[in-house]
Amino acid sequence: MPDLRQTSGYLYLHDTKFTRKNIREKAGLAIAPAPAFKEYAGAEKIALPVNPARPAAELWGLLQQRRSQRKFADNPMSLDDLALLLWACQGVTAQAGPYLLRTAPSAGALYPIETYVAAERIQNLPAGLFHFNVRTFQLERLSEGAAAPLVARAALDQSFISQAAAVFIWSAVLRRNMAKYGQRGLRYILLDAGHICQNLQLAAAAQGRHSCPVAALYDDELNNLLGLDGEEESVIYLAPVG
Ligand SMILES: Cc1cc2nc3c(=O)[nH]c(=O)nc-3n(C[C@H](O)[C@H](O)[C@H](O)COP(=O)(O)O)c2cc1C
């Protein structure tokens, strides 16, 4: 068994510690930034309902209720409900200069996380893989046909994932954050993803649905499914909802 101090995780945390002495040299890397938004220009666009009714929900109750649940109802989800869940993940709630501020916080307002959806049972939306366009609040179709079983396979064959009405998949565009924060940026990227997933779980609970965070996955199998290179952009997290 390797000693904790020999693991790449430990060494990474150690190497990216800020101290009063190193703060100047450690802040920032001279690498080119990436665009702040991703858009699939040629993809079929599906407009999401902008102002769907929000179920009355009380934060304290939702915090008590939130659980990782691995059984999902058979009934389909409305497009309104899917739109609300996407809004909870990455909805724009304010603008500050060039930054589109969202429902979840992000280090430096850089928003390195992209959201994709494997839609299985959504009313009026044929099954497929989609990218969520934050700026236009649209889904962009990447492929047609049931994708949740493929996601489940790529997530260490955790079969409950294939029963979801929709699977939310999050990737990290490393350069978007790391051009500013350097090596330390990876810490922030993973924290950003955690905030988004908690928002999704609370929103799913408000809709009376089940959800489960999943990070056990064959990274490149999911990257291939979504057409990501696994270098500039790589899948890090997902959550089935139903
Ligand atoms: C980063 C992270 C990764 C997780 N990965 C998985 C996973 O791959 N499969 C799974 O069934 N649950 C996964 N979970 C869910 C945890 O098992 C669950 O959060 C934990 O048992 C506590 O239960 P609770 O979320 O209901 O409070 C993950 C949770 C987190 C936060």
Side-chain angles (χ1 to χ4, degrees):
M1 201 182 287
D3 181 72
L4 172 71
R5 287 174 183 74
Q6 302 300 319
T7 61
S8 52
Y10 172 88
L11 293 170
Y12 170 74
L13 279 180
H14 181 77
D15 286 349
T16 56
K17 277 183 181 163
F18 277 165
T19 65
R20 286 174 191 279
K21 274 198 183 139
N22 74 14
I23 183 84
R24 278 179 193 283
E25 99 202 37
K26 290 246 164 164
L29 257 192
I31 59 170
F37 297 95
K38 189 169 185 189
E39 192 159 334
Y40 288 81
E44 176 200 349
K45 304 280 194 293
I46 292 100
L48 292 163
V50 179
N51 257 329
R54 292 179 198 169
E58 189 245 332
L59 178 64
W60 309 112
L62 293 178
L63 287 169
Q64 176 68 46
Q65 200 183 316
R66 186 213 61 80
R67 206 69 301 133
S68 297
Q69 286 160 313
R70 300 166 184 83
K71 283 205 170 17
F72 306 111
D74 293 334
N75 59 327
M77 187 187 289
S78 67
L79 201 57
D80 276 18
D81 279 4
L82 179 65
L84 277 181
L85 294 176
L86 286 163
W87 184 81
C89 292
Q90 282 287 271
V92 174
T93 48
Q95 180 152 13
Y99 301 108
L100 295 185
L101 305 180
R102 322 261 167 104
T103 48
S106 174
L110 293 170
Y111 305 101
I113 307 298
E114 291 288 331
T115 302
Y116 298 83
V117 181
E120 284 304 300
R121 288 189 306 285
I122 310 296
Q123 282 162 1
N124 305 317
L125 185 68
L129 270 177
F130 299 86
H131 169 253
F132 173 53
N133 186 319
V134 168
R135 222 171 2 184
T136 63
F137 203 61
Q138 288 174 321
L139 286 174
E140 297 167 332
R141 182 182 285 281
L142 306 184
S143 66
E144 291 179 5
L150 305 176
V151 176
R153 223 172 131 216
L156 270 60
D157 296 294
Q158 299 185 73
S159 58
F160 68 90
I161 296 167
S162 62
Q163 306 305 315
V167 187
F168 290 68
I169 307 164
W170 294 291
S171 71
V173 179
L174 299 180
R175 197 180 282 276
R176 219 181 261 164
N177 172 293
M178 292 174 80
K180 176 170 182 185
Y181 292 117
Q183 298 269 26
R184 195 174 163 91
L186 183 58
R187 295 174 178 234
Y188 304 160
I189 289 170
L190 301 176
L191 291 168
D192 277 16
H195 300 310
I196 292 171
C197 187
Q198 173 79 351
N199 275 10
L200 176 71
Q201 283 214 285
L202 292 174
Q207 292 179 347
R209 295 180 199 286
H210 292 176
S211 66
C212 182
V214 169
L217 47 91
Y218 298 117
D219 307 65
D220 284 336
E221 290 190 19
L222 272 169
N223 288 331
N224 290 340
L225 190 64
L226 292 171
L228 308 179
D229 66 4
E231 293 182 355
E232 291 284 330
E233 182 177 354
S234 196
V235 170
I236 54 173
Y237 208 13
L238 58 89
V241 181

